[in-house]
Amino acid sequence: MDVASRNKALRVGVLGAGRIGRVHTQILSRLGVTVVAIADPSEERGQSLAREFGVAKVTTKVEDIFNDPTIHAVLICSPTDLHAQHIHQAAAAKKHIFCEKPIALDLGVVDAAVHAVEAAGVKMMVGFNRRFDANFKRIRKAVIDGEVGDVGMIRITSRDPSAPPVSYIKVSGGIFCDMTIHDFDMARFLVGSEVEQVFVMAQARDPEIGAAGDVDTAVVCLRFKNGVLGYIENSRVAAYGYDQRVEILGSKGAVSCENNYPNTVTISTGTSIARDLPLHFFIDRYMDAYKDELSAFVDVCLDPRTAPPVSGHDGRQALKLGLAATRSMKENRPVLLSEFDAPPMVGRL
Amino acid sequence: MDVASRNKALRVGVLGAGRIGRVHTQILSRLGVTVVAIADPSEERGQSLAREFGVAKVTTKVEDIFNDPTIHAVLICSPTDLHAQHIHQAAAAKKHIFCEKPIALDLGVVDAAVHAVEAAGVKMMVGFNRRFDANFKRIRKAVIDGEVGDVGMIRITSRDPSAPPVSYIKVSGGIFCDMTIHDFDMARFLVGSEVEQVFVMAQARDPEIGAAGDVDTAVVCLRFKNGVLGYIENSRVAAYGYDQRVEILGSKGAVSCENNYPNTVTISTGTSIARDLPLHFFIDRYMDAYKDELSAFVDVCLDPRTAPPVSGHDGRQALKLGLAATRSMKENRPVLLSEFDAPPMVGRL
Amino acid sequence: MDVASRNKALRVGVLGAGRIGRVHTQILSRLGVTVVAIADPSEERGQSLAREFGVAKVTTKVEDIFNDPTIHAVLICSPTDLHAQHIHQAAAAKKHIFCEKPIALDLGVVDAAVHAVEAAGVKMMVGFNRRFDANFKRIRKAVIDGEVGDVGMIRITSRDPSAPPVSYIKVSGGIFCDMTIHDFDMARFLVGSEVEQVFVMAQARDPEIGAAGDVDTAVVCLRFKNGVLGYIENSRVAAYGYDQRVEILGSKGAVSCENNYPNTVTISTGTSIARDLPLHFFIDRYMDAYKDELSAFVDVCLDPRTAPPVSGHDGRQALKLGLAATRSMKENRPVLLSEFDAPPMVGRL
Amino acid sequence: MDVASRNKALRVGVLGAGRIGRVHTQILSRLGVTVVAIADPSEERGQSLAREFGVAKVTTKVEDIFNDPTIHAVLICSPTDLHAQHIHQAAAAKKHIFCEKPIALDLGVVDAAVHAVEAAGVKMMVGFNRRFDANFKRIRKAVIDGEVGDVGMIRITSRDPSAPPVSYIKVSGGIFCDMTIHDFDMARFLVGSEVEQVFVMAQARDPEIGAAGDVDTAVVCLRFKNGVLGYIENSRVAAYGYDQRVEILGSKGAVSCENNYPNTVTISTGTSIARDLPLHFFIDRYMDAYKDELSAFVDVCLDPRTAPPVSGHDGRQALKLGLAATRSMKENRPVLLSEFDAPPMVGRL
């Protein structure tokens, strides 16, 4: 069957018509996938998105999507605190699931959701879109192909152009579960090993963020089980814009990428040799990655033999790293990931 | 009206299901434009393309498209020697026209086609896609905004990864009308003035290309009416791949762009500090430009107030430069563009 | 007085004719400073160096230099374990002192040496040559001038092309006092604040280095008193060569430098887009910095009003950081610099 | 013999204590060469330079240098119109000669000077310092080693930060003999072949320069005897500073260099991603090249077996290209270099 007919045959429901819901709906529409319905508590917001991409049905009740037997898969683009509930509902309704990160902010909740998915025999893919970025894919390839030999060290630089509102920060789970979680997944993806120990130095440059109980600047050190050392550097505020870079040092050399810019133009005047600011934020920077991510999800839904390239387990591991980093910061000590494994935790190491 | 409905309302026919016809059909499909029919002498090729993007109708007769009263516009992606004829037919049928470059290899034929379009009151846009490239648009903006002051000099470097087959070269009209024509348009677009005089130094590094009466390596000097000096450097064979760069020197400084690569990854080993080869060829390099180009054409078709951003006149001027360059090379002398203006040309200089 | 006569009037003795002694003697010679004598336990090595740069006198006894009343200043380029002793002798002989880093590996020894210098009323400058590098000076200027606003974070990447012999590593004091000590000084220099806390993650990729009780790969986190976070990344082995970079993130933006290369040439072939390897090691990379460093020392010796731009205190602080990092690694915990301040240390923490 | 003694044995006289005379005297001094005397019409200027680098003797009469039997070699740093006369005098006095470019502005005068040198059996090296630049040497190496295969095209971009005074321009011989002459030598050096034909497009952006009979902006096309095409792009005024770049396209790929900057620091703010302006002008940019150039001359003087790496013939060929370019501009036609060869030239011209 040709790709167009194949994609059209896939019938999808989208939960959440916000910013990321809009991105995904647009991509599905361009891939020729049939978006059957959009659910959003705001009918107006749902209608607006549906109209833009020719989606026939809008509802304020997610059940309308779960109960539609013609729908094969759902995209969970709802607020984080609803992700797990929607996963359970989707699994019960035997829909394949694409869930934005994080699955939840509580490990037990994540575990239950992942188990529900497995029990239902549906597939779940978690939205770590950066794995599909051209730069990071190329770095992963260099690692796999041994272009830099055995990996010894990884650095991830990840800076946002500006902090989200304090109201959001308060419910975000903190920088490590909200922002760094992407970098934790990237570190695991690129190194191909699990992390054993985490140590964090952090601070709130912005007093409002500090007052909200969070930090905006952090260095996170990782020791992987295979001996690799990693460090992630985060900032909520890079005045020049979004900045996403990785560097790996291996026994045969190093592989690194530069940040992404809207063009390669240089303007040389009597004052400076300058170029334009980087691509502003994640929607611009990662649009191609979002496309490849959803293409992969479409393939996963349509081909029974394939497993999701980013699994519920990946979502769980990234969250665990976020929780360990949070604990390290609070207690100013290196934290073993194993502290989060053993129930019951007696005494705390 | 929302964009989706608006675009869907535009009904288009595509003439030619070859490489560039495929690119445009895909883009139209993703824009939500209704591609009514595809015409191609090879029914199989037409069917294959139609199937891929869900186009309902395929025909081997272009008349089926011109005679369909529901079709508003046509994309002429047929071989160059049919462009003019298809323009005349489309104009007669009152369809808006998107025509790949060059319109024709004969100035008289181009003039007649342009006049037919004007007489019919339809719009025609010519496929100089590079005007829509992010780098070149940014450079044009720098010129318009005076970021580098008054332009004094422009350099265009334009190299293909490998030469087309000799069979193609023989009917291509020569490097200046086939390949450099893009650069001529770029020079006019960026400088915003017409060229007065052309001088060429060229040679065939590949003896087979020389035997076919063409060259593969050329330097083209331009003197613009506003005093700007330009030089275009072309090669049919750059072993490392496609290479498209521009540099402008103005009274306040310079603006230039680098070539485009698939990623920004550097691999440093004991042997070299290396990056991957550039984006291979024009389809990869200019995909975003093709998208913006067709979006602009869609807007032009749908909005009676807008004029095409690249006109038949632009196609004519670029061809004239190609002819002047060819003459300069053959006669080893600077050639005035005005030599091509005055009918009848008596004696010639 | 002109510079030539002024420099010639300064009479210097060099202790140690090894690699760094040779670098300094060459520079002094080109600055026109009078190198009176070279002392080295190996007469042959001393003679060879003296001959190359026209130094009149060679001795195997350092006392011949300290006792020469015509000598104004000494350069201590002897092995580290002799530095402190030579400082005491030079101070007693009222010579100004340029001492290679580190002064010693024991804080008490360093303190005594620094006090001896102060008591003698001579000047001492410590050889943190990197402060004179064009890149790092420019970054310091950006910080001072507020070009990036308030500093929030600093990263130092510092990699050697290959590890020294294990025999050297065993007596080096460990990577943090031997190699990272330069980066500690750079961090203090660029941030302009003292460090409060250090945490290290490290490992020995090379088992021989591990067997020698040292590591070759490390991430060092720093928390400065002014709130700045820092991280230093070290490797003894970068297969592609010496690599020295810094990046600072401030409230108004970031400033960073690239590594240094012998040329800016790119070679693009069908295989890769490549450049030559970086300048191989510190002598090549920092030759200009060594020149400026010694020029500064000459100025300091000749002008009674000037203080050394890198003082004994700076040497002491860098050593303290090296010791704190070593302790952090061994005890796998964040270490406060204040642990090294208070005699007697009762109970520790 | 060691290098210091060897260099000291070479006794040199410097003609001209202007800007370039100062550069060379400083370098000779640092190489340990004995500068015996400086001749300059201005005794004050000569004294100032002599004092700075400890030169014992100053004279206003060049004969004092030519007549000194202890002097082995002279550096001709006098004004261009005295070069040839000083060459004749030096040859007659059996001194080796280093002569700044151009030897003269008249081919006959150059020929006579070159012949006088040959007849005297002394060596003459011409000051095309750029051949000793790290970038251009690396590019030459790539050509020689076949890293880019057979050369097909060369581009030289050469821009000054600002035009010299009009008073200088009037006696300079015009841009092609004054400024482009360096680029002509570079083109010959890099391609390793002679030029057959030249064509120029040029203009005076600055009306004062135009009024002085010169141009400030030019594109020079070259056709080499071995089929290579070249183009040189010159501007007297690049607002951002000195700009010297080369690019060569060969059958296996391309080799190119970037312009040179004082550091590799990037400053990223909310406004732009910027770096500092390039090294300002030739003294800064080419200081290392000047050093290597004079080192080579010292070797040539001291070793009877060596020939100068840049010969009088090279000076002659570069001048011929300057004259051909001047003629091409004036007559707006391609000019064969052979037009300057054949005495007597009957008919055309």
Side-chain angles (χ1 to χ4, degrees):
Chain A
M1 187 168 36
D2 63 282
V3 170
S5 311
R6 202 196 72 147
N7 283 2
K8 198 174 176 183
L10 183 67
R11 297 174 59 83
V12 172
V14 175
L15 310 183
R19 185 166 53 173
I20 196 67
R22 192 187 171 282
V23 166
H24 289 320
T25 303
Q26 178 182 34
I27 294 168
L28 289 177
S29 156
R30 297 208 164 165
L31 286 173
V33 168
T34 303
V35 181
V36 178
I38 295 169
D40 196 278
S42 156
E43 174 141 13
E44 188 188 335
R45 195 162 69 159
Q47 286 292 358
S48 166
L49 177 59
R51 209 163 37 235
E52 190 172 353
F53 297 105
V55 177
K57 185 173 171 188
V58 172
T59 176
T60 58
K61 295 180 190 154
V62 293
E63 290 72 20
D64 290 346
I65 284 182
F66 296 126
N67 294 337
D68 182 338
T70 75
I71 289 179
H72 307 111
V74 297
L75 268 61
I76 302 180
C77 307
S78 46
T80 295
D81 59 351
L82 294 175
H83 286 180
Q85 175 190 322
H86 289 162
I87 288 172
H88 282 283
Q89 290 179 280
K94 303 288 183 194
K95 317 289 189 207
H96 295 311
I97 299 162
F98 177 92
C99 182
E100 272 303 318
K101 64 92 221 172
I103 297 175
L105 295 173
D106 180 279
L107 265 184
V109 172
V110 170
D111 283 345
V114 170
H115 295 153
V117 167
E118 286 168 1
V122 295
K123 296 175 182 179
M124 180 163 76
M125 180 166 158
V126 176
F128 286 124
N129 57 295
R130 295 183 195 173
R131 292 194 182 199
F132 299 87
D133 177 75
N135 282 348
F136 303 139
K137 274 192 298 186
R138 180 65 183 86
I139 290 176
R140 176 60 182 151
K141 183 178 186 309
V143 170
I144 289 173
D145 294 355
E147 293 179 71
V148 293
D150 291 332
V151 174
M153 191 147 44
I154 179 170
R155 171 175 64 85
I156 297 178
T157 298
S158 174
R159 300 171 182 164
D160 281 357
S162 57
V166 167
S167 58
Y168 171 84
I169 282 179
K170 283 178 180 166
V171 298
S172 70
I175 191 171
F176 302 115
C177 293
D178 175 49
M179 178 178 170
T180 322
I181 197 167
H182 272 295
D183 307 308
F184 288 136
D185 183 66
M186 183 54 57
R188 291 179 63 248
F189 170 61
L190 292 178
V191 173
S193 172
E194 296 295 343
V195 173
E196 190 172 87
Q197 194 188 51
V198 174
F199 178 79
V200 164
M201 273 194 189
Q203 73 157 181
R205 309 284 309 173
D206 179 342
E208 283 194 54
I209 290 176
D214 203 1
V215 295
D216 51 24
T217 309
V219 179
V220 181
C221 293
L222 309 173
R223 184 188 294 280
F224 288 79
K225 287 186 175 167
N226 65 359
V228 169
L229 300 180
Y231 50 114
I232 297 168
E233 180 245 276
N234 285 136
S235 172
R236 287 279 200 192
V237 187
Y240 55 92
Y242 201 41
D243 194 355
Q244 304 274 297
R245 285 171 285 152
V246 164
E247 177 168 355
I248 284 176
L249 179 65
S251 54
K252 291 185 187 167
V255 55
S256 63
C257 65
E258 290 304 306
N259 199 21
N260 286 27
Y261 293 84
N263 58 60
T264 71
V265 171
T266 299
I267 296 189
S268 303
T269 66
T271 312
S272 74
I273 312 300
R275 66 180 304 176
D276 290 347
L277 299 186
L279 287 168
H280 181 60
F281 212 176
F282 61 94
I283 302 280
D284 291 323
R285 160 67 187 262
Y286 289 117
M287 184 49 81
D288 286 339
Y290 282 123
K291 285 179 196 164
D292 289 349
E293 178 187 55
L294 277 200
S295 283
F297 179 65
V298 167
D299 290 347
V300 160
C301 290
L302 290 169
D303 184 345
R305 296 159 305 180
T306 60
V310 196
S311 69
H313 175 72
D314 292 317
R316 186 183 192 285
Q317 293 304 95
L319 174 64
K320 212 199 292 187
L321 282 160
L323 297 172
T326 307
R327 184 179 292 174
S328 172
M329 177 178 68
K330 288 189 177 151
E331 304 183 1
N332 190 28
R333 64 169 180 93
V335 168
L336 290 168
L337 270 287
S338 59
E339 298 179 24
F340 292 85
D341 287 342
M345 293 190 47
V346 187
R348 220 215 67 219
L349 291 191
Chain B
M1 188 169 35
D2 63 284
V3 170
S5 311
R6 200 197 73 147
N7 284 1
K8 197 175 177 183
L10 183 66
R11 298 174 59 84
V12 172
V14 174
L15 310 183
R19 184 165 56 173
I20 196 69
R22 191 185 172 284
V23 166
H24 288 321
T25 302
Q26 178 181 36
I27 295 168
L28 289 177
S29 156
R30 298 209 163 165
L31 286 172
V33 168
T34 303
V35 181
V36 178
I38 294 169
D40 196 279
S42 156
E43 175 141 12
E44 187 187 337
R45 195 162 69 160
Q47 286 292 1
S48 165
L49 178 58
R51 208 159 40 231
E52 188 171 356
F53 298 105
V55 177
K57 186 174 170 187
V58 172
T59 175
T60 57
K61 294 180 190 155
V62 293
E63 289 73 18
D64 290 347
I65 285 181
F66 295 127
N67 294 336
D68 182 338
T70 75
I71 289 179
H72 306 111
V74 296
L75 267 61
I76 301 180
C77 307
S78 46
T80 296
D81 59 351
L82 294 175
H83 286 179
Q85 175 190 322
H86 290 162
I87 290 172
H88 282 282
Q89 290 178 279
K94 302 292 182 191
K95 317 291 191 206
H96 294 311
I97 299 162
F98 177 90
C99 184
E100 273 303 319
K101 66 91 217 170
I103 297 175
L105 295 173
D106 180 280
L107 266 184
V109 171
V110 170
D111 283 346
V114 170
H115 294 153
V117 167
E118 287 169 359
V122 295
K123 295 175 181 178
M124 180 164 75
M125 180 166 159
V126 176
F128 286 124
N129 57 296
R130 296 184 195 172
R131 291 193 182 200
F132 299 87
D133 177 76
N135 282 348
F136 303 138
K137 276 193 296 187
R138 181 64 184 85
I139 291 176
R140 176 62 181 151
K141 182 177 186 309
V143 170
I144 289 173
D145 293 355
E147 292 179 73
V148 293
D150 292 332
V151 174
M153 192 146 45
I154 180 171
R155 170 174 66 84
I156 298 177
T157 297
S158 175
R159 300 171 184 165
D160 281 357
S162 56
V166 168
S167 58
Y168 172 84
I169 283 180
K170 283 179 179 165
V171 299
S172 70
I175 191 172
F176 302 114
C177 292
D178 175 51
M179 178 178 171
T180 322
I181 196 166
H182 273 296
D183 307 308
F184 288 135
D185 184 67
M186 184 53 58
R188 292 179 63 246
F189 170 62
L190 292 177
V191 174
S193 172
E194 296 295 343
V195 173
E196 191 172 86
Q197 195 187 51
V198 174
F199 178 80
V200 164
M201 272 194 192
Q203 72 157 182
R205 310 283 309 171
D206 179 341
E208 283 193 54
I209 290 175
D214 203 0
V215 296
D216 51 24
T217 309
V219 180
V220 181
C221 292
L222 308 173
R223 185 188 293 279
F224 288 79
K225 287 187 174 166
N226 65 358
V228 169
L229 301 180
Y231 51 113
I232 297 167
E233 181 246 276
N234 285 136
S235 171
R236 287 278 199 194
V237 188
Y240 55 91
Y242 202 40
D243 194 355
Q244 305 274 296
R245 286 172 284 151
V246 164
E247 178 168 354
I248 284 176
L249 178 66
S251 55
K252 290 185 187 167
V255 56
S256 63
C257 64
E258 290 305 305
N259 199 22
N260 285 28
Y261 293 83
N263 58 61
T264 72
V265 171
T266 298
I267 296 189
S268 302
T269 66
T271 311
S272 74
I273 312 301
R275 67 181 303 176
D276 290 346
L277 299 187
L279 287 168
H280 180 58
F281 211 175
F282 61 95
I283 302 280
D284 291 323
R285 160 66 187 263
Y286 289 118
M287 184 49 82
D288 285 340
Y290 282 121
K291 285 179 195 165
D292 288 350
E293 179 187 54
L294 278 200
S295 283
F297 179 65
V298 167
D299 289 348
V300 160
C301 290
L302 290 169
D303 184 344
R305 295 160 306 181
T306 60
V310 196
S311 69
H313 175 72
D314 292 318
R316 188 183 190 283
Q317 293 303 96
L319 174 64
K320 213 199 294 187
L321 282 159
L323 298 172
T326 307
R327 185 180 290 175
S328 172
M329 177 179 66
K330 288 190 178 151
E331 303 183 1
N332 191 27
R333 66 172 180 89
V335 167
L336 291 168
L337 271 287
S338 58
E339 297 179 24
F340 292 84
D341 287 342
M345 292 188 50
V346 186
R348 224 211 64 221
L349 290 190
Chain C
M1 190 169 34
D2 62 283
V3 170
S5 312
R6 201 196 71 147
N7 283 2
K8 199 173 176 183
L10 183 66
R11 298 174 60 84
V12 172
V14 175
L15 310 183
R19 184 164 56 174
I20 196 68
R22 191 186 172 283
V23 166
H24 289 321
T25 303
Q26 177 181 35
I27 294 167
L28 290 178
S29 158
R30 299 211 162 164
L31 286 173
V33 169
T34 302
V35 181
V36 178
I38 295 169
D40 196 277
S42 156
E43 175 142 12
E44 187 187 336
R45 195 161 68 160
Q47 287 291 2
S48 166
L49 178 58
R51 209 161 37 234
E52 188 172 354
F53 297 106
V55 177
K57 186 173 171 187
V58 172
T59 177
T60 57
K61 296 179 189 154
V62 293
E63 289 72 19
D64 290 346
I65 285 182
F66 296 127
N67 294 336
D68 182 337
T70 75
I71 288 180
H72 307 112
V74 297
L75 267 61
I76 301 180
C77 307
S78 45
T80 295
D81 58 352
L82 294 175
H83 286 181
Q85 175 190 320
H86 289 163
I87 289 171
H88 282 282
Q89 290 178 276
K94 303 289 183 193
K95 317 291 189 206
H96 295 310
I97 298 161
F98 177 93
C99 183
E100 272 303 317
K101 65 91 215 168
I103 297 175
L105 295 175
D106 179 280
L107 265 185
V109 172
V110 170
D111 283 345
V114 170
H115 294 153
V117 168
E118 286 168 1
V122 295
K123 296 176 181 179
M124 181 165 74
M125 180 165 158
V126 176
F128 286 125
N129 57 295
R130 295 184 195 172
R131 290 193 183 201
F132 299 87
D133 177 75
N135 283 348
F136 303 139
K137 275 193 297 187
R138 181 64 184 86
I139 290 176
R140 176 61 181 151
K141 184 178 187 306
V143 169
I144 290 173
D145 293 356
E147 294 179 72
V148 294
D150 292 333
V151 173
M153 190 148 44
I154 179 170
R155 170 175 64 85
I156 297 178
T157 297
S158 176
R159 300 172 183 164
D160 282 357
S162 56
V166 168
S167 59
Y168 172 84
I169 283 179
K170 284 179 179 165
V171 300
S172 70
I175 192 171
F176 301 115
C177 292
D178 175 51
M179 177 176 171
T180 321
I181 197 167
H182 272 296
D183 307 309
F184 288 136
D185 183 67
M186 184 54 57
R188 290 180 63 248
F189 170 63
L190 292 178
V191 173
S193 173
E194 296 296 344
V195 173
E196 191 172 86
Q197 194 188 53
V198 174
F199 178 80
V200 163
M201 273 195 191
Q203 72 156 183
R205 309 284 307 171
D206 179 341
E208 284 193 53
I209 290 175
D214 203 1
V215 296
D216 51 24
T217 309
V219 180
V220 181
C221 293
L222 309 173
R223 184 188 294 279
F224 288 80
K225 287 186 174 165
N226 65 359
V228 168
L229 300 180
Y231 50 115
I232 297 168
E233 179 246 276
N234 284 136
S235 171
R236 287 277 198 193
V237 188
Y240 56 92
Y242 201 42
D243 193 355
Q244 304 275 295
R245 286 171 285 152
V246 164
E247 178 167 355
I248 284 176
L249 178 66
S251 56
K252 290 184 186 167
V255 56
S256 62
C257 65
E258 290 304 307
N259 198 22
N260 285 28
Y261 294 84
N263 58 60
T264 71
V265 171
T266 299
I267 296 190
S268 303
T269 65
T271 311
S272 73
I273 312 301
R275 67 180 304 176
D276 289 345
L277 300 188
L279 288 169
H280 180 62
F281 211 174
F282 60 94
I283 302 279
D284 291 322
R285 160 63 186 265
Y286 288 118
M287 183 50 81
D288 285 340
Y290 283 122
K291 286 180 195 164
D292 288 350
E293 179 187 53
L294 277 200
S295 283
F297 179 65
V298 168
D299 290 347
V300 160
C301 290
L302 290 169
D303 185 344
R305 295 161 304 182
T306 59
V310 195
S311 69
H313 174 73
D314 292 317
R316 187 183 192 284
Q317 293 302 97
L319 174 65
K320 210 199 294 186
L321 282 160
L323 297 172
T326 307
R327 184 179 291 173
S328 172
M329 177 179 66
K330 288 190 178 151
E331 304 183 0
N332 191 29
R333 66 171 180 91
V335 168
L336 290 168
L337 270 289
S338 59
E339 297 179 24
F340 293 84
D341 288 340
M345 293 190 49
V346 186
R348 226 210 58 225
L349 289 191
Chain D
M1 189 167 37
D2 63 282
V3 171
S5 312
R6 200 196 73 146
N7 284 2
K8 199 175 176 184
L10 183 66
R11 298 174 59 83
V12 172
V14 174
L15 310 183
R19 184 165 55 175
I20 196 68
R22 191 186 172 284
V23 167
H24 288 320
T25 302
Q26 178 182 34
I27 294 168
L28 288 177
S29 157
R30 299 210 163 164
L31 286 172
V33 169
T34 303
V35 181
V36 178
I38 295 169
D40 195 279
S42 156
E43 175 141 13
E44 188 187 335
R45 196 162 66 161
Q47 287 291 1
S48 165
L49 178 58
R51 207 162 38 234
E52 189 172 354
F53 297 105
V55 177
K57 185 173 170 189
V58 171
T59 176
T60 58
K61 293 180 190 154
V62 293
E63 288 73 19
D64 290 347
I65 285 182
F66 296 127
N67 294 337
D68 182 336
T70 75
I71 289 180
H72 306 112
V74 297
L75 267 61
I76 302 180
C77 307
S78 46
T80 296
D81 58 351
L82 294 175
H83 286 180
Q85 176 191 320
H86 289 162
I87 289 172
H88 282 283
Q89 291 179 277
K94 303 288 182 195
K95 317 290 191 208
H96 295 311
I97 299 161
F98 177 91
C99 183
E100 273 303 319
K101 64 90 219 170
I103 297 175
L105 294 173
D106 179 280
L107 265 185
V109 172
V110 170
D111 283 345
V114 171
H115 293 152
V117 168
E118 287 169 359
V122 296
K123 296 176 181 178
M124 179 164 75
M125 180 165 157
V126 176
F128 286 124
N129 57 296
R130 294 184 196 172
R131 291 193 183 201
F132 299 87
D133 177 75
N135 282 348
F136 303 139
K137 275 194 296 188
R138 180 66 184 84
I139 291 176
R140 177 61 181 151
K141 184 178 185 308
V143 169
I144 289 173
D145 294 355
E147 293 179 72
V148 294
D150 293 331
V151 174
M153 191 147 45
I154 180 170
R155 170 174 65 86
I156 297 178
T157 297
S158 176
R159 300 171 183 165
D160 282 357
S162 56
V166 168
S167 59
Y168 171 83
I169 282 179
K170 283 179 180 165
V171 299
S172 70
I175 192 172
F176 302 115
C177 293
D178 176 49
M179 178 177 170
T180 322
I181 197 166
H182 273 296
D183 307 309
F184 288 136
D185 183 66
M186 184 53 58
R188 290 181 62 248
F189 170 62
L190 292 178
V191 173
S193 172
E194 297 295 343
V195 173
E196 189 172 270
Q197 195 188 51
V198 174
F199 178 80
V200 163
M201 273 193 191
Q203 73 157 182
R205 309 285 307 171
D206 179 341
E208 283 194 54
I209 289 176
D214 203 2
V215 296
D216 51 23
T217 309
V219 180
V220 181
C221 293
L222 308 173
R223 184 189 294 278
F224 287 79
K225 285 186 176 166
N226 65 358
V228 169
L229 300 180
Y231 52 114
I232 297 167
E233 181 246 276
N234 285 136
S235 171
R236 288 278 200 194
V237 189
Y240 56 91
Y242 201 41
D243 194 354
Q244 305 272 296
R245 285 172 285 152
V246 164
E247 178 169 354
I248 284 177
L249 178 66
S251 55
K252 290 184 187 167
V255 56
S256 62
C257 65
E258 289 305 305
N259 199 22
N260 285 28
Y261 293 83
N263 58 59
T264 70
V265 172
T266 299
I267 297 189
S268 303
T269 67
T271 312
S272 73
I273 312 301
R275 67 181 302 176
D276 289 346
L277 299 188
L279 287 169
H280 180 59
F281 211 176
F282 60 96
I283 303 281
D284 291 323
R285 160 64 187 264
Y286 289 117
M287 184 49 82
D288 285 340
Y290 283 122
K291 285 179 196 165
D292 288 349
E293 179 187 53
L294 277 200
S295 283
F297 179 64
V298 168
D299 289 348
V300 161
C301 290
L302 290 169
D303 185 344
R305 295 160 304 181
T306 59
V310 195
S311 69
H313 175 73
D314 291 319
R316 187 184 192 282
Q317 293 303 97
L319 175 63
K320 212 198 295 187
L321 282 160
L323 298 172
T326 308
R327 185 179 291 174
S328 172
M329 177 179 67
K330 287 189 179 151
E331 303 182 2
N332 191 28
R333 65 170 179 91
V335 168
L336 291 168
L337 270 288
S338 59
E339 296 180 23
F340 292 84
D341 287 341
M345 295 190 47
V346 187
R348 231 212 45 234
L349 295 187

